[in-house]
Amino acid sequence: MKQLFTILLLSATMAAQAQRQQISYIEETKNWYYVYDDQGKKIGGLARSSVGEVMGWGSDFFVAKRYSFYYICDAKGKTLKTMSVPNVGEIVGVSGNTITSRKGSWILTWSKEGKKISARSAR
């Protein structure tokens, strides 16, 4: 019974990892963004008019700004979280699984789920 449970758990884990696509690069053209995986395969194309401006990307998400909102999206462009620019401030970097922003005299770190992890003085 324990072996069967281990096999089922391993199968579910492998299926979940296969569904998550890793972003290696986002190519920007005049009207489109093209998302590529770590093997150079194109995951998809996103119209600039629908996404806005891509601010940066991590391994399995990217952040785009459109009007007064930031959108955290998966590799295929599905919006995972929406955050307002006045609450977040200016995005200064996206790396790994975190987003860094500057709001006034504060540096804020956010998770890829849009939750504030930490805040420190910008000095």
Side-chain angles (χ1 to χ4, degrees), residues 34-68:
Y34 296 103
V35 182
Y36 294 90
D37 67 11
D38 56 348
Q39 297 174 351
K41 181 180 174 190
K42 189 186 299 182
I43 296 171
L46 306 164
R48 183 186 286 270
S49 61
S50 66
V51 175
E53 178 186 357
V54 171
M55 306 302 293
W57 66 87
S59 59
D60 59 352
F61 73 101
F62 67 90
V63 179
K65 179 181 179 186
R66 187 165 184 223
Y67 305 117
S68 8

Side-chain angles (χ1 to χ4, degrees), residues 37-102:
D37 67 11
D38 56 348
Q39 297 174 351
K41 181 180 174 190
K42 189 186 299 182
I43 296 171
L46 306 164
R48 183 186 286 270
S49 61
S50 66
V51 175
E53 178 186 357
V54 171
M55 306 302 293
W57 66 87
S59 59
D60 59 352
F61 73 101
F62 67 90
V63 179
K65 179 181 179 186
R66 187 165 184 223
Y67 305 117
S68 8
F69 292 96
Y70 290 114
Y71 299 93
I72 301 174
C73 303
D74 67 9
K76 298 246 182 196
K78 178 183 174 192
T79 301
L80 305 173
K81 180 74 175 181
T82 303
M83 303 185 318
S84 70
V85 171
N87 289 339
V88 175
E90 177 187 347
I91 300 280
V92 293
V94 180
S95 179
N97 288 324
T98 61
I99 303 159
T100 305
S101 67
R102 181 178 182 133

